Amino acid sequence: MVLWSLVAAQFVLAAAIVLSASWNPVPWLQLLLAVPGIALAISAWAAVGLRKLRVHPTVTEKTTLVTSGPYAIVRHPMYSGLLWFTLMLLFPTITPWRVAAWVALTAVLVIKANYEEKMMSARFPEYPHYMQTVGGLIPKFPKILRD
């Protein structure tokens, strides 16, 4: 029940940010700046496969460990993409309640990610190593790209 509450909170908070954005006129600059987040989320969906996409952070016997594509630089690219997209929509109409909604959304996604990672570590022995080498919500680029 707690996990479904987190899923509901995620959708409500994201919707509140999106629906409260200033859409008249269309915020082209914010949408342009949001493109990396949108692209990250879409590429994650493609890497996992749309039929395997789940909003509930549970691991089943059908769960596979994906470490390629966007999952090579961030363990939760769908969450990261959503956070980037909604962060860009906070501008230019920043209000305390919208910032609070984004912070709450971030907290919800961190809790979901932590739960998912515990389950993934139990299911896949290689997952703890993956966690050490790949960023969680913030991409960790390979050492060769950082030098």
Side-chain angles (χ1 to χ4, degrees), residues 43-102:
S43 66
W45 292 335
V48 170
L50 289 177
R51 290 182 178 222
K52 293 181 182 178
L53 186 64
R54 299 175 50 114
V55 295
H56 196 276
T58 54
V59 175
T60 68
E61 64 278 348
K62 293 181 181 180
T63 301
T64 58
L65 178 58
V66 179
T67 60
S68 60
Y71 291 90
I73 59 167
V74 67
R75 296 188 307 272
H76 304 282
M78 288 183 230
Y79 295 169
S80 298
L82 176 61
L83 288 172
W84 183 261
F85 172 69
T86 53
L87 178 65
M88 293 302 106
L89 290 183
L90 291 182
F91 302 97
T93 55
I94 296 177
T95 63
W97 82 263
R98 294 180 81 235
V99 171
W102 189 84

Side-chain angles (χ1 to χ4, degrees), residues 40 44 47-48 64-78 80 113 116-117 120-121 124-140:
L40 183 61
V48 170
T64 58
L65 178 58
V66 179
T67 60
S68 60
Y71 291 90
I73 59 167
V74 67
R75 296 188 307 272
H76 304 282
M78 288 183 230
S80 298
E116 187 176 344
E117 290 187 338
M120 293 293 281
S121 293
F124 300 102
E126 63 271 35
Y127 198 81
H129 178 262
Y130 173 65
M131 288 174 64
Q132 291 176 343
T133 58
V134 176
L137 291 173
I138 299 171
K140 185 187 294 184

Side-chain angles (χ1 to χ4, degrees), residues 28-29 35 78 81 103:
W28 293 111
L29 178 59
V35 166
M78 288 183 230
V103 170

